Amino acid sequence: MTSLPHKLPQRLQHLAHVVNAYDICLKLEDSLQLAVNDGNDIGRNLIYIHILGYLIHHVPTEIGLGNISQEINLCYNNSTILALAQILYSHTPTPSDDASPPSFDTIQDMTNMTLQKTPQSYAQAKAYALILYHCVMTGTYDVFLVETIQKLATMYKSDTSARLGFTQCAHIFSASTNLSMEPGSAKQQYASTLWAILYCFGYENLFDELNGSKVHCLENVMTLESQFYTLFDRFDI
């Protein structure tokens, strides 16, 4: 991960609590980099502090910016700062479960699915995500759809730059974060912490919007070519 920029964006430079929190991140980053240069093993600590610093730059809500800055400013030493960052690092969306894709005869059949209620399963979610027929990153056409939908096959053949490949449906927030959880289980504790973090970032309504089968809604899924699906799950994109 790239080193933190030395300065905050202009829009944040007048906010004293944000500037102070970011300065803390920069100082800890410098300290960790010196340790690396000296040959010391610091584990993932440099990644952790980069997560905090870049969150200040890119957190999407004002509430989230205020909360993350406050949490950093309340940390009383480097260990507590890194512990905070580790919580954020470890509570990220997990890979989606794979499943066989649904069947369609025409592009219209696919499009009609968007007029139905929120999908209730992975298969329906992939059907929704495939409305664009291809990977959202590379534009690669899905093999299954090209082989089964004549009009789509014609579109693919007429596009000289088109690629063909296998795609998978990726949940941005996995169904495993709010489905089939035993009370008091480690899975439930993980999910509770994740939703608490998102709440602190200003997403007070996100849990209700993705609760239960609503986690399969079109806004929470996207189609990715298999190699990018793997990279997405590993946060290597």
Side-chain angles (χ1 to χ4, degrees), residues 5 12-13 15 21 34 39 53 74 79 82 88 109 115 124 130 153 156-157 170 177 208 212 214 218-219 224:
L12 301 178
Q13 292 180 9
L15 302 173
L34 286 174
L74 288 175
S79 295
L82 292 172
L88 298 176
D109 289 340
L115 303 178
Q124 289 183 3
L130 284 173
Y156 165 71
K157 292 175 182 177
T177 59
D208 291 331
K214 288 186 287 186
L218 182 59
E219 292 83 359
L224 294 173

Side-chain angles (χ1 to χ4, degrees), residues 7 30 39 65 81 120 159:
K7 292 184 178 180
D30 287 342
L65 176 63
I81 295 172
Q120 304 295 305
D159 185 352

Side-chain angles (χ1 to χ4, degrees), residues 1 9 34 55 57 63 72 103-104 112 117 120 125 131 142-143 151 164 191 221-222 227 232 236:
M1 185 178 289
L34 286 174
L55 271 176
H57 277 266
I63 294 175
I72 294 171
S103 298
F104 299 102
N112 285 341
K117 61 183 180 180
Q120 304 295 305
I131 293 301
D142 182 77
V143 171
K151 185 175 180 180
L164 198 62
V221 296
M222 57 184 173
Q227 68 181 84
F232 174 76
D236 281 344

Side-chain angles (χ1 to χ4, degrees), residues 12 19 52 61-62 64 67-68 78 127-129 138 157-158 171 185 188 208 220 229 233:
L12 301 178
V19 172
L52 282 183
T61 67
E62 293 299 321
N67 285 335
I68 193 64
N78 290 345
Y128 273 52
T138 66
K157 292 175 182 177
S158 65
H171 283 73
S185 65
Q188 184 188 50
D208 291 331
N220 191 46
Y229 173 87
D233 275 343

